[in-house]
Amino acid sequence: MRLLTVLGVLALSILGLSACGSKSSSSTKELPQAEFVQKADAICTQTGIKRKAAGQPPNFNPATATQAQVTGSAKYLTAEAALTKDEIAEVAGLGEPKEAAPKQAWQQLRSELQDTTIPALQKAAEDAKAGSVEGFKADFKKLEAASPNQDKLGKTVGLKVCGQG
C-alpha cells in the first residue's frame, strides 16, 4: 500500500478525534448526532485545506521503503502528525453524539486514535527523521492494523468528510 493510501485510510484516524479530549464523562457535552457530524466534518474540511497547503505525501510503499524514502518523508510526516493531533483535539472539543450507538463508537474511536494512531504517526515521523527504516516500517504496521476498525467506527458515528482522505 502506498504511503498516500495509508495516510488516506488514516484520515479517519486523522479526523479521528481526541488526542487531547477527555474520555467520556458525565460532564461531556452531548450533541445530536447530526449536529456532531456536521461540526466534525466542518473541522475536517478546514484541516483538509491545511493538508493540501502542506504538500503531497511521498509516494512509496512503507513496507518496502528504502532509507532515502524514509528520510525524505520526515518533513511531511512531522507536519501530518501535528495537523492530525490538532484536528483530533478540535473535534474532541465538540463533545460527543447523544445517541447510544454513535456515542459508543465515538468513544471507542477517540480512544483508539489517542492511544494508538497519534503515537504511531508521531513515532513514524521521529523514525523518519532518525533514518530508522525498521522503526518506520513497524510504525506503519500499527497504523495499518488500526485503520479498518477505525473506518468502521467512523461510519457508525456518521462521519462523512472526516476520514475520507
Side-chain angles (χ1 to χ4, degrees):
M1 173 179 306
R2 297 178 314 147
L3 179 60
L4 174 62
T5 304
V6 172
L7 290 176
V9 168
L10 295 177
L12 204 297
S13 331
I14 287 182
L15 135 36
L17 317 294
S18 182
C20 300
S22 64
K23 299 200 180 185
S24 181
S25 73
S26 60
S27 65
T28 299
K29 181 178 178 183
E30 292 184 335
L31 302 168
Q33 179 186 15
E35 183 178 350
F36 178 84
V37 168
Q38 178 202 20
K39 289 180 177 185
D41 280 344
I43 291 167
C44 293
T45 296
Q46 291 305 309
T47 303
I49 293 167
K50 292 175 188 174
R51 279 194 176 92
K52 284 182 183 177
Q56 292 294 313
N59 187 8
F60 63 88
N61 181 341
T64 59
T66 66
Q67 179 80 40
Q69 290 170 326
V70 168
T71 304
S73 69
K75 183 178 177 183
Y76 174 83
L77 288 171
T78 299
E80 180 61 32
L83 284 168
T84 298
K85 184 176 179 181
D86 290 348
E87 180 179 43
I88 290 168
E90 194 172 347
V91 174
L94 296 173
E96 58 191 24
K98 281 183 186 179
E99 297 79 3
K103 180 178 185 170
Q104 182 180 12
W106 168 243
Q107 290 170 348
Q108 185 178 349
L109 176 59
R110 184 181 61 198
S111 179
E112 286 187 22
L113 292 166
Q114 177 182 1
D115 298 342
T116 304
T117 302
I118 293 297
L121 190 56
Q122 290 171 327
K123 180 111 173 30
E126 291 169 14
D127 284 340
K129 282 181 194 175
S132 173
V133 175
E134 292 310 310
F136 176 87
K137 289 178 181 180
D139 302 329
F140 269 89
K141 280 185 180 180
K142 288 179 187 175
L143 290 167
E144 287 178 306
S147 291
N149 188 50
Q150 291 174 359
D151 291 344
K152 179 181 167 192
L153 292 168
K155 288 178 183 169
T156 301
V157 173
L159 300 170
K160 295 171 182 67
V161 175
C162 299
Q164 299 306 308

